[in-house]
Each structure stands twice: as structure tokens, then as C-alpha cells.
Amino acid sequence: MRFGHFDDEAREYVITTPRTPRPWINYLGTEELFGLVSHTGSGYTFYRDARFRRLTRYRYNSVPTDAGGRYFYIRDGNDFWTPGWAPVRRELDRYECRHGLSYTVITGERNGIRAEVLCFVPLGAAAEVHRVRLTNLSGRPRTLQLFSLAEFCLWNAWDDQTNYQRNLSIGEVEIDGSAIYHTTEYRERRSHFAVYAVNAPLAGFDTDRESFLGAWNGWSEPQAVVDGRSRNSVASGWSPIGSHQLAMDLAPGEERSCVFVLGYVENPADEKWERPGVVNKARARELLARFASDAQVDAALAELKAYWTVMLSSYRVATGDPRVDRMVNIWNPYNCMVTFNISRSASYFETGIGRGMGFRDSNQDLLGFVHLVPARARERILDIAATQLPDGSAYHQYQPLTKRGNNDIGSGFNDDPLWLIEGVAAYVEETGDLAILDESVPFDNDPAIAAPLFEHLKRSFHHVLANLGPHSLPLIGRADWNDCLNLNCFSETPDESFQTTGNRTGRSAESVFIAGLFVHAAPLYAALAETVGHAGEAVAAREHAGRMARTVLAHGWDGEWFLRAYDFFGNPVGSAACEEGQIFIEPQGFCVMAGIGVAEGQARKALDAVKARLATPHGIVLQQPAYTRYHVELGEISSYPPGYKENAGVFCHNNPWIIIAETVIGRGEHAFEYWRKLAPAFREEISEVHRLEPYAYAQMIAGRDAPRHGEAKNSWLTGAAAWNYVAITQHILGVRPELGGLRVHPCLPKELPEVTITRRCRGAEYRIAIRNRGDGGAPALRVNSTPIAGTLVPWAPPGTVVEIEVEV
Ligand code: BGC
């Protein structure tokens, strides 16, 4: 069952009923100011940091769900309604929500009035623009009142939710014509404020929530709207809001639009005041003047659409299957850009007050957007690397505003350092920018201990070698990729963290997954070492990788599949000998991706075991059998009910490792089959089961042990976006940059017999036409009509076009 459809031409998902299973959201903003907007218009806005610069309030875990947002109430005689259906929930004669790339248009119609609300953040502006267009579709003149509503958050979203004894006394506003200024805490240490304005004269306004709503009403029934009369209230303490009232007379057929702007403004410390006690609004006025007319709004929207067209042109495919094409050309790269902008901080499942940017997460996200925004990826790499510690380990998370490592969680996740190698390698392969390796980057944000970026990679690599356990496999530390496999924690007390509370120390728990990752990262590291003249280090790195691969086969192989780990006591985890959790997905994926056991036959066996034991109609579950009781020696993984999250849920992040592994052994049918199971556009037709957006990846789909098998959770902010993109574009379609050229090595299923790809890279354009007979044979390439040996197409000069024909 569907709740809408894709409009590929417009690059939009069109939701046709407001009664979706859950709020289906979109993201506004591409630079500094961001908004989350659901299909009803709910959501919130923040500037750069969802915790410390929150403009508007949102109530997580509220009933009914999705409370707070940009609301426009239309009062028509005694009737009133909202175009996004909620919060008033008066039935609409027509409803439509179009989520596009960084904009959303919600249209509602009732009793012959159409209201269309367009929301976006223009490029180069720290502002959300909301254009409300009202049309009189009836044959008679109509008199309407339009009320806007934004509820201000008192900046620090954590404090806003917890510190009421202070917060209910600090709210302040200024009103200046049609502009409402939110100035809470501006008198003290803040030099930023928010403005919410409209380009039309007001019939009234409200800035005090209780005056607008009435003491006992909710958003569905504000008293000012019920009465058709704003109170002209001036907030002082309690809860400041911004609400404008506009009176409109519409002749039959007439259309009127007005532009609301919700902006964020910062003043230099010595220019805070216009006069004592009055905020300096000069910058705000400049901002508002940029979006004061319909024409300006149209131009800004066109510019935003053009920005996306250019960005998405770096990889385009035509396969004949619209579901594949819309994932690859539109929605998956868009999802990757959202993870670039937001990391794991603000979604409908991440409150924006929890985690900052993850070291591991950000490096992996990079794999999905490095070709879209290479210059910004470079900056991101340098930020991340600056949080690395001198011994090669890394803060697990850092705050986006300060770019400093987060002490609450600290370090000790022993896979973290290796992801920096993976991220930097992807960047250099994409851009050829070797100079980044010489950039001086601090350790622990301390410029006194800066070193070239290459030195950071070296310390990452050697951190693993300096931390090997009894079987010469890497020590796991607090956890590896699987944050919930906590082999040193032994937590027996509620309320303590599974990751950071370690009540046993020891150098015994080992991770086969990190071993696989190490062997995968080693050749990337060695190749980079060679390019900066460290030939000896490159040779050594390859030897270490060979040794580690042999160690994995000797101590990390269980007979039918790769082991997951050794626990604190040296007992195997993820072994047929275990009572529960006998086989895990992660080492099967990464060990095969690294090439371990490919020649010797273990790789194929391991992937066959995955198919037999872990594959379900909704994707590959993380492990089996699910843990049915808490295993203190394994940690958080066994705390989830069977089938959810890391306890045998389908983790959409690591499924692509199996997909890529299948291409490593040449099984394109299996790879594509697994990819399709998770791709949101393919799951659209079972939206009543999947329940989340059919255009964005979810972190997790409930596994077969869960009563709600197939139901997705935690959409948008997940490494699933980057890895699924890498799997389909670089390994199934098979086009990926390497240091020496563009690798073109498709591994396709029979159902994609003809594929064309346009890939822009390093200034040249590669037009690739693939004819796939699906017999599993090796690809044969002709480059500009000349056959070449192998599948590596040498880099072409910038500005040139290269025609590549591929026969598989
Ligand atoms: C974290 C990842 C982690 C994954 C698996 C996610 O919530 O962001 O860093 O790899 O869970 O535990």
C-alpha cells in the first residue's frame, strides 16, 4: 500500500494523504540554517547546531505525534483549518505534500479555498522562507483571516526542556511593524536573535503563547483563531511565540500570496544595540529585504533547484527501472547530503540534544557525498582528523559548533581510527588532491601538536597494531562498529552507559570485524603512503595486512563463517558453539570485502551462510539466533528484545557490506537482490509495513524475531545512506574512482541488460554504456572505441569527454 508517489521529473515525493503511518519528513537548508519539516508542516529550525542554536521548539514523544512547527491557520467565517491538515485536523477537500530537494510544498483545500505553503531555506541565507498562497476557487467573494505561528525555543534545546525555573522568566521579544523579534538572552551573553516577519501589513499579532492559545487549548484550537482576533500580546517571560494575523478579501478566482521569513541574525559584540535596550535590526532588515517579493522568492527557489541539478550531475544512471534510477540519481545522494549536514544530530528519532558528530559515522558518511561536495568533504576531513588523539585513537564524537572532541563519551572505540583512512582515501581517489596529506592538522585540537594529515593516518594504522590481543587480532575496546557489542563493560546497574562504564579492564576481548576493516584499509593506506614517498611504510603495511589476513583465517574462522569476536574470557562470539548469536553479519561483509578467504574458498562459504541463516524478505538480520536474555559479558546488544536494533534487527548500514562482498566474488544477482530489499523506493509498495518515508533510508528494519518484522525505525540519519549508495553505484553498477583511474567493473543482475552512466570526476566526463549478458563473465572495455586490457580507465584531462563501452 502506498501513501503517495514519486514525481521523478520534479524530483519530488508526493504524499496524497495526511494519514501516513508516521510523520514523513524532509530537510530544509544546505549550509548553516536547517529545518525539519513533516508532511503536515510540523518540525523545527536551528542554526548550525541543533542543541545550542535552536530557533523553534518541537515536542518529541508527544501525543498526538508531531507537535510544533510552522503553522498557518485559515479562518473562514466560523470555520478554521490548517493546510497541512494537522494540527487542526479539519477534513480537507484536497491535500498534497510535495517533498522536494531541500524544499516542501503543502497544499490544502477546503470549501473553495486553496492554501499552498512553500518552505525552503534560500542559498546564502540564514532564513526559512514560507510563502503562503491563498486562492479563492469559489464563485463568490471571500473574507479570510490568516494566522501564522512559530513557537520560539529558548536557544539551548536541552536547557529549554529541563530548566523551567529559569526559563519561564526569561522570554523577551520586540515587535517592529510586521516583524517579530525573538530576543531572549540577548541582553546577556548572546549576540544573536531570531526574526519572524511577513511582507504585508498586520491586522494583529501575538507573541505570548498563552494569550494566543488560551490557557487550556492546544495547537488544534488557538483561542485567537477561534475568535478571529489576535490579542497583540507582548511576551514577557513564559513562552514567546510569533504569530501574525492578516486580513484578506479574495474576489472569485483571486490569488494572493504573502512571504513569511524566519531568520537568524548575529550582530558583532559592539553593534548589538540600536539604542539602549533596543536590538540593532539593521542586518535583519537586510535579510528580510532579500525575500520581500514573490519574484525574489521564485528566483531563490530556482537557484536552489539549479544547485541540486548541478550537484546531482556527477553520477547519473539510466537502467530502465525507474526505482533504481530514482534511488541513484535523486534520493540516495540527497539522503547522503542530509547526513553530511546533520550527521546524527536532528531527525524525528534524534532530538538534536543527544549526540554530536561521530568520528566513525562522519568518515563513513563521507563515502556517500565526497563526489557531490569535494571541497566541503576536505574541510570535514580536517575537522575530524583534528579530534584524533596523539596515540592514534580518537574521540568517538565531537560537537559541530566547537569542533572539539566530546569528553562525555571519550575514546576507546578501536575501529574509529581506521575509518579516517577509509574517508581520506575516498577523498583522494575522488579528487586526486594529494596535497591534503601534507596539511598540518592538530591532534586533540591542540595546534602545538599538529602534524601532516598523513601522520594521522599512520597513527590510525599503528594504533591497531599496538593494540592486538591474545590471538593477535585487534582489541575491541569499548565497542567496534557495533556500538552495542560491549565486551569489557559488564554492566549490572541500570542507568549506566553500556559503552563508557567499564568495570573490568583487560586486554583480551578481540574483534574479527576490526581485523577485516584493517585488511581492507591497509592497501588504501599503502597506496597513499607511496604517493607521499613512504615506500617502506607501504611495503610494511601490506605485510601487516597479509599477516592479519592469515590470522583471521587461523583464529577468526569458525568452519562455515567468520567469527565475530573473542570475549573478555577468550570465548568465541558468533560461533556455531554459541548458544545464541552464532553468526554475525559484520565480519562476513568486511572480511570478504577485504579479500580474506576469496582465493581459499572461505569467502563464498561465509556468504552462503549469510544467505541461509541471516537473509529475510526484509533484508539481512545482524545476527542469529537473537539473544533471548541479557548476556552481561556481551553488553547492550543483548538488552534489546529479539529482532530490534543490534539484537537481530536488519541494520541497513551493514547490509551493503554483504552486497559489496557478493560483488567481490562475482555474484551480481545476489548483490542486487539484497540491495533491492532495502532500497526505500522498492519498499514503497509495502509502506503500510515499512511505515517510514519511502524516499530515505532507515537505520533499522525490525528483524524476523520481532512481532513487527519489516517495520522501519530511525529514518534519514544513518550510515545506510552512504553505504547503500557506494554498494549500488561503485560495486553493482561498478564505477568507482581509484588513484590511477576510473574503475569500471559492473557486477549486474540479468534484469538490468542495458545501463548507461554519466560520471563526472576530476573535471572530465565519462559516458559509460554497459551491455550486460548476465553470465557472470569479466567485463571487456573499449575506451573511445579502443579496447583496453583490464577495467581501469586512465584519468582523462579536465574538460574532456570519454566514451566507454562495456560488455559483460
Ligand atoms: C551508530 C553507529 C554504529 C551503529 C551500530 C549507530 O547508531 O551511529 O556509529 O556503528 O549504530 O551500532
Side-chain angles (χ1 to χ4, degrees):
M1 179 183 173
R2 295 180 167 88
F3 298 87
H5 56 87
F6 287 94
D7 180 341
D8 295 330
E9 197 58 34
R11 300 184 303 210
E12 293 171 341
Y13 192 79
V14 188
I15 301 166
T16 48
T17 167
R19 289 179 171 85
T20 50
R22 293 192 57 88
W24 284 4
I25 75 161
N26 192 15
Y27 283 85
L28 312 176
T30 52
E31 293 158 337
E32 300 201 299
L33 186 119
F34 298 99
L36 284 70
V37 57
S38 76
H39 70 292
T40 66
S42 305
Y44 61 94
T45 310
F46 62 93
Y47 178 76
R48 288 184 56 196
D49 190 312
R51 175 165 179 175
F52 293 114
R53 293 287 185 281
R54 186 81 67 98
L55 271 77
T56 53
R57 185 173 287 150
Y58 182 78
R59 288 171 180 74
Y60 282 91
N61 229 345
S62 186
V63 279
T65 191
D66 207 14
R70 321 132 182 88
Y71 294 140
F72 295 96
Y73 299 88
I74 293 153
R75 190 168 189 283
D76 175 12
N78 290 326
D79 187 32
F80 65 94
W81 52 283
T82 32
W85 182 61
V88 173
R89 287 190 292 141
R90 206 84 81 213
E91 287 313 316
L92 300 171
D93 301 329
R94 180 171 161 250
Y95 162 90
E96 182 186 271
C97 168
R98 288 181 169 262
H99 282 319
L101 304 182
S102 305
Y103 67 88
T104 287
V105 187
I106 296 171
T107 307
E109 273 176 36
R110 186 171 156 90
N111 293 334
I113 298 295
R114 178 195 298 151
E116 180 200 279
V117 182
L118 158 72
C119 301
F120 70 108
V121 176
L123 296 174
E128 264 190 33
V129 169
H130 312 145
R131 176 168 61 197
V132 182
R133 199 173 252 166
L134 295 176
T135 311
N136 180 358
L137 304 171
S138 71
R140 58 196 167 91
R142 305 286 283 269
T143 296
L144 307 174
Q145 303 291 325
L146 174 68
F147 295 83
S148 68
L149 183 274
E151 185 186 18
F152 295 114
C153 176
L154 306 184
W155 298 114
N156 178 330
W158 168 260
D159 203 61
D160 184 68
Q161 295 290 316
T162 48
N163 191 6
Y164 297 106
Q165 60 78 27
R166 167 179 163 82
N167 289 341
L168 296 178
S169 294
I170 61 173
E172 286 189 288
V173 294
E174 275 189 39
I175 299 112
D176 180 36
S178 296
I180 294 167
Y181 291 86
H182 176 227
T183 58
T184 300
E185 289 189 339
Y186 188 78
R187 66 172 63 239
E188 33 126 325
R189 294 157 299 171
R190 296 185 187 277
S191 49
H192 46 261
F193 60 90
V195 56
Y196 187 38
V198 59
N199 66 344
L202 302 186
F205 63 86
D206 272 302
T207 65
D208 172 60
R209 189 178 73 200
E210 188 177 321
S211 307
F212 176 71
L213 287 181
W216 298 101
N217 305 11
W219 301 122
S220 62
E221 206 185 4
Q223 199 60 46
V225 178
V226 174
D227 298 343
R229 183 175 54 82
S230 293
R231 302 310 200 252
N232 295 347
S233 57
V234 179
S236 170
W238 297 111
S239 305
I241 60 160
S243 174
H244 311 88
Q245 181 184 354
L246 305 182
M248 298 214 186
D249 289 316
L250 293 182
E254 188 180 348
E255 177 178 288
R256 281 267 302 276
S257 69
C258 34
V259 182
F260 294 82
V261 175
L262 174 66
Y264 171 90
V265 181
E266 260 174 32
N267 278 334
D270 55 348
E271 292 177 30
K272 279 179 72 166
W273 306 103
E274 199 168 287
R275 51 179 198 279
V278 178
V279 173
N280 176 358
K281 305 180 186 68
R283 286 178 179 77
R285 293 193 184 108
E286 277 166 29
L287 176 70
L288 299 178
R290 288 170 59 194
F291 309 106
S293 71
D294 258 351
Q296 287 170 307
V297 171
D298 287 336
L301 183 64
E303 202 190 342
L304 181 65
K305 288 184 179 178
Y307 161 92
W308 279 107
T309 302
V310 172
M311 180 155 348
L312 297 181
S313 68
S314 53
Y315 195 125
R316 293 196 54 78
V317 73
T319 62
D321 185 332
R323 294 167 300 181
V324 178
D325 296 0
R326 65 174 65 115
M327 284 312 307
V328 172
N329 295 335
I330 306 169
W331 295 99
N332 199 168
Y334 180 56
N335 199 165
C336 289
M337 282 307 295
V338 171
T339 64
F340 166 74
N341 287 319
I342 314 285
S343 189
R344 303 292 174 275
S345 82
S347 74
Y348 267 31
F349 300 88
E350 304 272 10
T351 58
I353 55 180
R355 15 188 194 168
M357 318 265 297
F359 191 95
R360 167 204 297 148
D361 293 342
S362 300
N363 276 302
Q364 290 175 84
D365 290 347
L366 204 121
L367 307 177
F369 62 70
V370 63
H371 65 303
L372 302 171
V373 282
R376 297 174 78 188
R378 185 181 212 273
E379 200 185 316
R380 178 66 54 86
I381 285 172
L382 300 178
D383 287 348
I384 301 171
T387 67
Q388 188 177 27
L389 294 161
D391 70 351
S393 65
Y395 281 107
H396 194 49
Q397 287 165 6
Y398 70 99
Q399 285 310 126
L401 207 59
T402 60
K403 297 185 176 174
R404 289 188 164 272
N406 182 337
N407 274 315
D408 297 347
I409 181 109
S411 76
F413 296 75
N414 284 349
D415 63 318
D416 272 337
L418 289 172
W419 295 113
L420 184 65
I421 297 177
E422 299 270 340
V424 172
Y427 169 78
V428 176
E429 288 170 337
E430 177 68 31
T431 59
D433 172 18
L434 294 171
I436 194 174
L437 298 171
D438 297 327
E439 284 278 347
S440 173
V441 184
F443 285 100
D444 198 6
N445 290 104
D446 180 354
I449 43 173
L453 180 62
F454 179 76
E455 177 64 24
H456 286 253
L457 305 188
K458 190 171 178 185
R459 295 204 199 167
S460 289
F461 192 77
H462 289 276
H463 183 265
V464 177
L465 294 171
N467 289 283
L468 300 178
H471 299 91
S472 297
L473 290 163
L475 292 170
I476 193 167
R478 295 191 190 283
D480 60 19
W481 172 85
N482 190 330
D483 271 334
C484 300
L485 190 60
N486 315 120
L487 305 182
N488 292 305
C489 184
F490 294 85
S491 174
E492 283 175 308
T493 310
D495 306 326
E496 61 187 23
S497 155
F498 287 104
Q499 282 82 33
T500 58
T501 311
N503 51 16
R504 304 218 184 163
T505 47
R507 293 180 65 87
S508 49
E510 300 171 296
S511 163
V512 177
F513 166 77
I514 300 182
L517 175 58
F518 177 83
V519 178
H520 187 265
L524 304 172
Y525 170 64
L528 294 176
E530 268 157 9
T531 65
V532 290
H534 295 284
E537 178 66 9
V539 172
R542 292 199 172 99
E543 281 170 12
H544 285 303
R547 202 168 306 131
M548 185 69 81
R550 290 190 292 279
T551 303
V552 169
L553 291 177
H555 300 293
W557 178 252
D558 193 52
E560 297 292 322
W561 55 80
F562 293 100
L563 278 177
R564 179 62 179 85
Y566 286 98
D567 72 12
F568 181 85
F569 306 103
N571 297 319
V573 179
S575 158
C578 299
E579 172 207 346
E580 307 189 308
Q582 297 176 338
I583 170 171
F584 280 66
I585 189 172
E586 305 101 313
Q588 321 313 326
F590 246 94
C591 290
V592 178
M593 283 165 69
I596 303 173
V598 171
E600 302 88 335
Q602 289 91 339
R604 179 175 287 263
K605 262 193 180 174
L607 294 179
D608 286 345
V610 167
K611 191 145 198 63
R613 290 167 179 260
L614 300 180
T616 81
H618 295 288
I620 307 165
V621 298
L622 197 146
Q623 106 278 17
Q624 282 288 291
Y627 296 109
T628 55
R629 59 183 176 80
Y630 180 50
H631 295 250
V632 68
E633 76 287 4
L634 301 179
E636 186 173 359
I637 188 168
S638 57
S639 73
Y640 290 108
Y644 292 117
K645 295 278 286 181
E646 283 85 343
N647 189 12
V650 174
F651 238 77
C652 302
H653 183 141
N654 55 32
N655 274 237
W657 301 342
I658 298 297
I659 298 173
I660 298 169
E662 286 286 0
T663 68
V664 169
I665 63 164
R667 300 200 300 200
E669 299 291 335
H670 288 194
F672 189 66
E673 183 61 20
Y674 286 140
W675 178 79
R676 264 197 334 194
K677 290 276 188 305
L678 297 195
F682 282 82
R683 296 182 64 80
E684 186 200 14
E685 58 197 56
I686 52 160
S687 288
E688 81 286 6
V689 178
H690 185 76
R691 299 188 86 230
L692 290 182
E693 298 93 331
Y695 44 87
Y697 276 96
Q699 180 206 53
M700 196 257 324
I701 295 172
R704 65 174 163 225
D705 301 288
R708 307 178 70 136
H709 184 31
E711 182 184 45
K713 278 202 187 100
N714 309 349
S715 52
W716 284 101
L717 305 184
T718 159
W723 275 110
N724 278 283
Y725 185 76
V726 168
I728 183 73
T729 58
Q730 301 190 9
H731 297 276
I732 296 178
L733 298 170
V735 179
R736 59 182 178 272
E738 293 184 3
L739 288 181
L742 191 67
R743 179 72 64 189
V744 181
H745 194 125
C747 187
L748 294 167
K750 283 195 199 67
E751 63 191 276
L752 301 181
E754 288 199 15
V755 174
T756 58
I757 298 166
T758 308
R759 178 70 161 94
R760 296 221 177 109
C761 198
R762 303 195 187 191
E765 183 170 303
Y766 300 82
R767 295 186 189 150
I768 304 158
I770 307 170
R771 288 202 349 171
N772 167 44
R773 291 197 307 276
D775 59 2
L781 270 66
R782 292 160 72 86
V783 177
N784 292 331
S785 307
T786 309
I788 64 161
T791 55
L792 191 66
V793 180
W795 292 118
T800 54
V801 174
V802 183
E803 304 279 352
I804 302 168
E805 295 152 80
V806 187
E807 293 272 343
V808 188

